[in-house]
Amino acid sequence: MSIAHTVYVLRHARAGSRSRWDGTDDRMRPLTPRGQTQALAIASTLAPHVREVHSSPYLRCVETVAPLATLIGTDVVIDERLAEGNDWLDLLHRIEASTTSIALCTHGDVLGDLVLRLHHRGLAGEGGIEKGCTWSITVAGGEVVDARHHPAPES
């Protein structure tokens, strides 16, 4: 019997509105002040529980987990598989391949598809994919055995 561990999958914290973003590259859209506050709260909550921090290359994701990486004394590992528009199956494979407790920051489309599939399998509790939320996903023997929603921190 293998020892279970938890993977924390986050949707990035609050970022400015896509429609009001005046930059040419949406990948560079930063967190709002509220999002920065959420990122600090996420860091203090998850720091005792994770050893590695991985993120979509989008700035809003990196900014969400940068305080966490700083608190645990590591770097944010950029992972293209976590980027917006990617297949939820890539995220599931990444989760199931993990061997230690890690944090993965992604986007609403990828996280939403993953949570939907976990619900269909009877593995996910109730909860949404609001900006700044976290799903704690228990992995044992290379398979997801449970998923629980944690709401976004109040800011």
Side-chain angles (χ1 to χ4, degrees), residues 2-25:
S2 66
I3 297 173
H5 65 278
T6 304
V7 174
Y8 299 89
V9 182
L10 300 89
R11 180 172 181 194
H12 64 78
R14 289 270 174 202
S17 167
R18 186 183 309 260
S19 63
R20 289 192 299 232
W21 168 242
D22 60 3
T24 57
D25 184 356

Side-chain angles (χ1 to χ4, degrees), residues 52-110:
E52 297 176 16
V53 180
H54 300 250
S55 176
S56 158
Y58 286 53
L59 180 60
R60 56 192 174 271
C61 285
V62 174
E63 287 183 337
T64 297
V65 292
L68 173 59
T70 298
L71 268 179
I72 67 170
T74 192
D75 293 324
V76 176
V77 177
I78 301 302
D79 188 338
E80 287 288 340
R81 296 173 293 184
L82 300 171
E84 189 172 72
N86 280 348
D87 192 324
W88 67 274
L89 219 68
D90 290 337
L91 177 56
L92 178 63
H93 293 314
R94 177 66 185 92
I95 292 165
E96 291 178 336
S98 67
T99 58
T100 190
S101 293
I102 60 175
L104 304 172
C105 190
T106 191
H107 302 266
D109 61 331
V110 180

Side-chain angles (χ1 to χ4, degrees), residues 1 10 33 36 49 55 67 104 112 116 118 120 130 132 145 154:
M1 182 176 180
L10 300 89
Q36 292 168 357
H49 308 288
S55 176
L104 304 172
L116 179 65
L118 294 178
H120 288 315
E130 74 277 9
V145 295
E154 295 295 323

Side-chain angles (χ1 to χ4, degrees), residues 30-47:
L31 295 180
T32 62
R34 179 178 175 199
Q36 292 168 357
T37 301
Q38 286 178 315
L40 291 172
I42 290 166
S44 64
T45 300
L46 293 185

